[in-house]
Amino acid sequence: MPANIDTLCINTIRTLSMDAVQKANSGHPGTAMALAPPAYTLWRDVLNYDPANPLWPNRDRFVLSIGHASMLLYSLIYLAGVRDVRDGKVVDAPSLTVKDIEQFRQLDSRTPGHPEYHHTAGVETTTGPLGQGCGNSVGMAMAEKWLAARFNKPEFKLFDYHVYTFCGDGDNMEGVSSEAASVAGHLKLGNLTWIYDSNRISIEGDTHITFTENVHKRFEAYGWHVLELRDANDTGDFRRLLEEAKAETSRPTLIIVHSIIGWGSPHKAGTADAHGSPLGVEEIRETKKFYGWPEDKSFYVPDGVPEHFQAGIATRGAAASKAWGELFAAYRKEYPELAAQLDSIFAGRLPEGWDKDIATFPADAKGIASRASSAKVLNQVAANYPWMIGGSADLSPSTKTHMTFEGAGDFQPPQWGATYGGRNLHFGVREHVMGSICNGLALAGLRPYCSGFLIFSDYMKPPIRLSALMKLPVLYIFTHDSIGVGEDGPTHQPIEQLAQLRATPGVTLIRPSDANEVAEAWRTLIPLTDRPSVLVLSRQNLPTICRKTYAPASGLAKGAYVLADADGKPDVILMATGSEVGLVVKAYEQLKAEGVKARVVSMPSWDLFEAQPQSYRDSVLPRDVTARVAVEQAAQLGWDRYVGLDGATIVMHTFGASAPAEQLEVKFGFTVDAVVAEARKQLARKAS
């Protein structure tokens, strides 16, 4: 056995990782073996983190963007003695035990294949899709800057945490990490350090077949401070580089760590064979021999290893956490209102009166685009929601998502003429990382929103999916939602995007039909703090429906509601979402004038409707009324559930075209005459 206690700790991380992957017959051992020395050094000697209080607001954040190396993180969590968190409270039980590590990648285990937020205490964000952790870490660093600017006082430095991210060759190949690095460099996030494992190996082999650029120079061009560790095993030099990174406060730091994947493996080190599969029983035996480890022991933790590990991180973290608690108690006496805001941020509570100024819109045949009515409501909500922050991918003049009330300001470094306390975020033309950053902001307790054109949600599928997986209350605002975009043509006219977003588990999507449904959408979405929401808005004006003639917009909260009805049982049901609701209302009036008993159902949110009791759903869409017409300027997928096998749909079956919106509506059949004709066909079918 190695005599040096630090080496003993490092090799414990390596062997736990090897053994867990081998027992599971699945996983990635090589990166954990290579990065055990820098990971141990960061956690044991540097990280400002209290394992007994993993929810401490000013803790340093550690992000494992190379999520496939999850056993590295699980080993660190176990050795650090991180306490478990249940129902948002820290409990006096370990987050992980050796038995948990033995159940790596097994059903219902606490050690899934990739780290999952909320699943394992000590995991700060769900990672796996490469590059996402990099984007999240930028959001976390932005959150620290914002919290510090808003809440720190000269005598009260409440927020000064640092964000450390382990990333790899794959992360740096992904476009989202380039977007993230560009944003971080522009914003001069000196509280962010990426530790890049340059092992030059990917699944297909040596990265010289795909990745030959000079990463050092690339990051210097982004405005980063770039350092290099020539040998991943040199813990003393790595500690020095971490100190240098922390001292550089005017720009983010990249530490390039030159490592050998699978270090110590006699036949697989430095090869792709060490990346994504178990080493094999004999190879593990020989590797343990190289480490000076008992060859016949699995999941072996030598005496004194956890204690030595915790003598660093736990002792340091406990003192820092205790001092912070005392500082916050004194802060509360001096600044009770700000402290109350922080209490709400930490608890995930909404501020009182957040919805008190939401407007009601008068009936207006000419109407207003739902993006414009949303702009008004957004500002009314955000003015009473002090930690709501957000922006767009260079589209706020079009998406109407700029906060304009006094004091909103722009989030920028002082060098760019603003402050880190601004609430308007500018992501540039970087949709992908915009979503990833918003996830990082939400993980810090802030309430972020981001916006773009609905068509460009295609660029954002990974972060939206991870928002749902982590149950983060990120608000995605997408405008220009249909062929109503007009002249920009099919490249900018969304067709299949609604179906894709509706199909994502845990996402609430609302497509409101007029200004009052927009107001109700905001009233409905903001309290949903356990999931992401998608608000889909129009470019073109939508008539503001007279709510004295038709049903109140408050029905939106149930996902679908009867907007207009016949006397008695209806003969035909017309249903629609968004901009098409006004169209079916006109068709309803024509049918009504002809003596047809018709019903109009506005269906802004399918998932909210499906969450209602069956009795309510049957009251809106009676099972014995089978004559149905659904109208939506989007793909048909999903509408068959509501119209049935015999019902009709007026939807998009192709991509759109470049022309004025009015001409496109005629070309693709979104006219009153077309809706009335389909309704008559349904009635004729029923009669026959």
Side-chain angles (χ1 to χ4, degrees), residues 375-613:
K376 183 173 183 178
V377 179
L378 183 158
N379 273 273
Q380 291 165 342
V381 170
N384 296 308
Y385 201 155
W387 52 97
M388 174 177 277
I389 64 175
S392 77
D394 195 48
L395 286 171
S396 61
S398 294
T399 59
K400 310 295 185 186
T401 48
H402 196 74
M403 286 178 272
T404 57
F405 53 85
E406 184 178 355
D410 292 330
F411 181 95
Q412 292 283 349
Q415 294 92 325
W416 305 126
T419 75
Y420 288 123
R423 295 174 59 185
N424 285 295
L425 306 180
H426 299 277
F427 296 101
V429 188
R430 303 183 185 97
E431 288 90 354
H432 194 166
V433 85
M434 175 171 68
S436 304
I437 286 172
C438 282
N439 284 340
L441 293 167
L443 287 162
L446 305 183
R447 191 67 185 272
Y449 68 84
C450 58
S451 68
F453 292 171
L454 179 57
I455 192 69
F456 299 135
S457 66
D458 287 355
Y459 286 133
M460 301 179 66
K461 176 60 174 165
I464 293 173
R465 189 175 192 274
L466 286 169
S467 296
L469 194 57
M470 291 190 275
K471 300 182 179 180
L472 298 178
V474 178
L475 175 54
Y476 295 91
I477 303 171
F478 293 126
T479 67
H480 296 60
D481 67 345
S482 69
I483 58 171
V485 169
E487 292 85 350
D488 277 344
T491 60
H492 283 54
Q493 294 166 356
I495 302 298
E496 72 279 14
Q497 283 68 29
L498 286 178
Q500 175 176 281
L501 291 164
R502 285 169 175 157
T504 305
V507 173
T508 288
L509 182 146
I510 298 182
R511 186 175 182 239
S513 66
D514 75 343
N516 286 305
E517 278 200 6
V518 166
E520 291 302 322
W522 278 93
R523 208 184 296 276
T524 300
L525 294 176
I526 291 298
L528 301 180
T529 57
D530 61 348
R531 73 191 82 169
S533 303
V534 176
L535 184 58
V536 179
L537 305 168
S538 73
R539 176 197 186 192
Q540 72 276 26
N541 283 0
L542 307 180
T544 304
I545 296 168
C546 178
R547 297 295 169 167
K548 294 180 180 179
T549 303
Y550 302 102
S554 56
L556 174 141
K558 293 185 176 180
Y561 64 102
V562 177
L563 178 62
D565 211 357
D567 292 330
K569 179 181 174 182
D571 293 325
V572 63
I573 298 174
L574 310 177
M575 60 189 86
T577 75
S579 53
E580 290 72 73
V581 171
L583 172 63
V584 299
V585 167
K586 291 179 181 178
Y588 160 85
E589 292 294 349
Q590 184 171 323
L591 289 167
K592 181 181 177 182
E594 296 174 2
V596 175
K597 291 184 176 181
R599 169 179 289 185
V600 174
V601 174
S602 177
M603 299 191 67
S605 179
W606 293 7
D607 61 288
L608 290 178
F609 183 58
E610 292 296 333
Q612 303 308 311

Side-chain angles (χ1 to χ4, degrees), residues 7 26 30 58 67 139 146 162 175 195 205 308 326 377 383 495 549 686:
T7 302
S26 173
N58 198 42
W146 190 88
H162 204 86
I195 295 143
H308 180 72
E326 293 170 352
V377 179
I495 302 298
T549 303
K686 179 182 175 183

Side-chain angles (χ1 to χ4, degrees), residues 42-43 46-50 56-64 124 136-145 147-148 152 157-166 184 188-195 224-225 227 238-255 316 320 324 444:
L42 173 64
W43 276 59
V46 176
L47 203 67
N48 199 30
Y49 185 94
D50 182 6
W56 171 36
N58 198 42
R59 68 191 181 278
D60 285 347
R61 267 61 168 183
F62 176 79
V63 175
L64 188 74
E124 298 284 4
N136 296 164
S137 71
V138 173
M140 293 174 181
M142 290 170 64
E144 187 279 332
K145 291 289 190 183
L147 289 165
N152 284 5
K157 200 171 187 178
L158 288 180
F159 298 100
D160 62 352
Y161 64 80
H162 204 86
V163 181
Y164 297 94
T165 304
F166 272 28
K188 302 185 182 300
L189 299 178
N191 57 345
L192 176 66
T193 297
W194 288 2
I195 295 143
W224 286 54
H225 176 221
L227 305 170
F238 183 61
R239 193 178 299 109
R240 178 186 65 79
L241 294 177
L242 288 172
E243 291 173 358
E244 193 174 333
K246 191 75 177 287
E248 174 53 77
T249 59
S250 64
R251 51 185 172 157
T253 295
L254 178 74
I255 301 177
R316 181 178 62 253
W324 189 91

Side-chain angles (χ1 to χ4, degrees), residues 121-278:
V123 173
E124 298 284 4
T125 182
T126 299
T127 57
L130 291 174
Q132 290 301 319
C134 293
N136 296 164
S137 71
V138 173
M140 293 174 181
M142 290 170 64
E144 187 279 332
K145 291 289 190 183
W146 190 88
L147 289 165
R150 284 277 170 166
F151 294 102
N152 284 5
K153 299 297 178 183
E155 68 277 26
F156 294 101
K157 200 171 187 178
L158 288 180
F159 298 100
D160 62 352
Y161 64 80
H162 204 86
V163 181
Y164 297 94
T165 304
F166 272 28
C167 57
D169 291 309
D171 286 292
N172 277 321
M173 293 184 206
E174 290 284 0
V176 65
S177 64
S178 297
E179 294 181 19
S182 179
V183 170
H186 165 76
L187 292 176
K188 302 185 182 300
L189 299 178
N191 57 345
L192 176 66
T193 297
W194 288 2
I195 295 143
Y196 162 38
D197 175 31
S198 179
N199 63 41
R200 310 299 300 169
I201 293 294
S202 64
I203 291 175
E204 293 185 357
D206 193 295
T207 56
H208 76 266
I209 62 174
T210 57
F211 192 53
T212 53
E213 68 204 45
N214 189 320
V215 175
H216 187 124
K217 290 183 178 179
R218 173 155 70 96
F219 274 76
E220 283 184 336
Y222 287 138
W224 286 54
H225 176 221
V226 183
L227 305 170
E228 296 210 33
L229 179 67
R230 294 298 174 184
D231 180 1
N233 292 304
D234 190 342
T235 56
D237 197 33
F238 183 61
R239 193 178 299 109
R240 178 186 65 79
L241 294 177
L242 288 172
E243 291 173 358
E244 193 174 333
K246 191 75 177 287
E248 174 53 77
T249 59
S250 64
R251 51 185 172 157
T253 295
L254 178 74
I255 301 177
I256 301 174
V257 175
H258 296 276
S259 74
I260 297 174
I261 194 170
W263 189 86
S265 172
H267 304 106
K268 296 185 177 182
T271 73
D273 289 339
H275 175 73
S277 58

